[in-house]
Amino acid sequence: MEMDWMASLDNMDDEYEKLIIRMNPPRVEISNSACENATVVQVDSANKHGILLEVVQVLTDLNLFITKAYISSDGGWFMDVFHVTDEYGKKLADEGVINYIQQTLGTNACFLPTLRRSVGVKAATEHTSIELTGTDRPGLLSEVFAVLADNKCNVVGAEVWTHNMRVASVLYVTDEITGAPIDDPQRLLRIKELLCNVLKGNNDVRGAKTVVSMGVTHTERRLHQMMFADRDYERVNKGRAASNEDKSRPLVTVQNCIEKDYSVVSIRCKDRPKLLFDTVCTLTDMDYVVFHGTVNAGASEAYQEYYIRHTDGFPVNSEAERKRVIQCLEAAIERRVSEGLRLELCTSDRPGLLSDVTRIFRENGLSVTRAEVTTRGEKAVNAFYVTDAAGNPVDSKTVEAVRREIGLTILQVKESSASPKSPPRETAARFLFGNLFRSKSLYSLGLIKSYS
């Protein structure tokens, strides 16, 4: 009886929140004249937890760069100002993009409780989603794709992140013959068991997990949640010199602002695309609310400052909590930083393509640190970031040997991940508010067929 009463209260709060939002519809203003070198997007709305992430997610999914942001959501109202550019550092000139932002952020649908709708959401009726987490090791991706190919699964999309010797991946698969989602429970159970065996390997002391779903998901948001749940923020010794590692790590501090009863999070790191999404996503998933904030992306460095409280109304109130916030934000920033050489593959899609390509990588001693797999019509357009098995840069002779085997016109070498060049921007002087794991042989277990 008590649980029913509490549930009814939650429903009443939810309905009241919806009513307030409907009575105060969002207002979106987009201007190309308010700033010399960026388009200014201002969003005003009734406040609710998660709105900031919703807005940032929409802008990020359009591949826009957020060069500055001013955030204020104290009380019952939310007001954000974003300075955005396109991928070339120019103001937005595409009326279709401007209209999409206006219509998407200017409707109540964007701000209703679900956080799952977005440009990046995959339709549930088109494929089956498979989520994987486990210990990273050389050759792992090859084994995963081999299992799927052996079970007549066609991978139509995928994203793979690695960090701190952990790996997380969201794969979208269809039946190789029918092209439809795979929904046979026994078949899915068999695939899950095989993939779990692959992920466990010989040295998995932390465990592995495989989840199959027909639901919709925002891929990058889900990857953050998966790696956070997998505790990838707990650093491991990879044999690198501490001094060299510290130089490349983001600088994150958390201090309490006693007179205002906030905790102040300050972040300084190398600028890159989607940085704001990654930090806001992590704070939201950790149940922190950003009440005020400012973001400034310079020519090479980004500065972010947030005034936060936990959803229970309290600031960070212990040293252990402070360290955890720092660790999780560091991990959120580092996950998307792709180590290695970027290889882009563009060719006609076919069953087993990914299995064959990643097998060639493995046989030539290449380890995939990140992957983006997409299917556009009949074309497979994929990107892989690769190192050698020890995490070092790949020898050019090895790369050329791989290219010759796959096809010189099919596999192209691109520069390692870096932010696209953009015009110099004003740098903020102050803020607005003051390994190698030995691979287990799965051929001996009959889980993967040899293609050699």
Side-chain angles (χ1 to χ4, degrees), residues 9 73 86 93 95 109 113 123 165 181 193 197 213 228 245 281 304 408 420 442:
L9 281 182
S73 60
D86 63 18
E95 288 297 326
M165 299 305 297
E193 290 175 347
N197 286 335
S213 171
F228 173 68
E245 187 175 339
C281 182
Q304 298 180 0
L408 294 175
L442 297 172

Side-chain angles (χ1 to χ4, degrees), residues 270-429:
K270 183 178 180 180
D271 189 29
R272 62 164 175 77
K274 303 189 178 183
L275 179 63
L276 181 59
F277 171 82
D278 295 337
T279 55
V280 170
C281 182
T282 297
L283 289 171
T284 303
D285 286 338
M286 294 181 72
D287 288 327
Y288 289 101
V289 179
V290 177
F291 288 89
H292 301 287
T294 182
V295 173
N296 195 303
S300 59
E301 282 192 312
Y303 305 85
Q304 298 180 0
E305 184 172 81
Y306 304 113
Y307 283 61
I308 68 169
R309 294 187 192 127
H310 197 268
T311 50
D312 61 12
F314 292 98
V316 175
N317 56 21
S318 71
E319 179 63 16
E321 184 183 0
R322 186 188 72 84
K323 289 182 177 179
R324 187 167 182 264
V325 171
I326 292 174
Q327 286 180 327
C328 291
L329 285 171
E330 287 177 343
I333 294 167
E334 293 170 344
R335 286 171 193 146
R336 204 191 290 269
V337 177
S338 306
E339 297 181 358
L341 185 69
R342 179 182 171 99
L343 301 178
E344 294 184 355
L345 182 143
C346 183
T347 188
S348 298
D349 191 30
R350 61 173 175 79
L353 173 65
L354 289 169
S355 176
D356 291 342
V357 169
T358 52
R359 171 184 57 80
I360 293 171
F361 287 169
R362 185 190 73 232
E363 291 173 348
N364 285 273
L366 301 187
S367 181
V368 178
T369 62
R370 183 181 161 202
E372 301 166 359
V373 175
T374 56
T375 304
R376 300 174 186 170
E378 300 298 321
K379 286 285 186 181
V381 182
N382 306 329
F384 304 93
Y385 293 84
V386 298
T387 65
D388 70 11
N392 298 316
V394 182
D395 181 82
S396 59
K397 293 181 180 179
T398 302
V399 174
E400 288 308 303
V402 169
R403 290 188 63 214
R404 284 194 297 270
E405 190 168 354
I406 294 175
L408 294 175
T409 60
I410 293 175
L411 188 66
Q412 300 289 331
V413 178
K414 301 295 181 179
E415 292 184 7
S416 299
S417 62
S419 301
K421 294 181 179 179
S422 56
R425 304 178 181 126
E426 177 186 353
T427 301

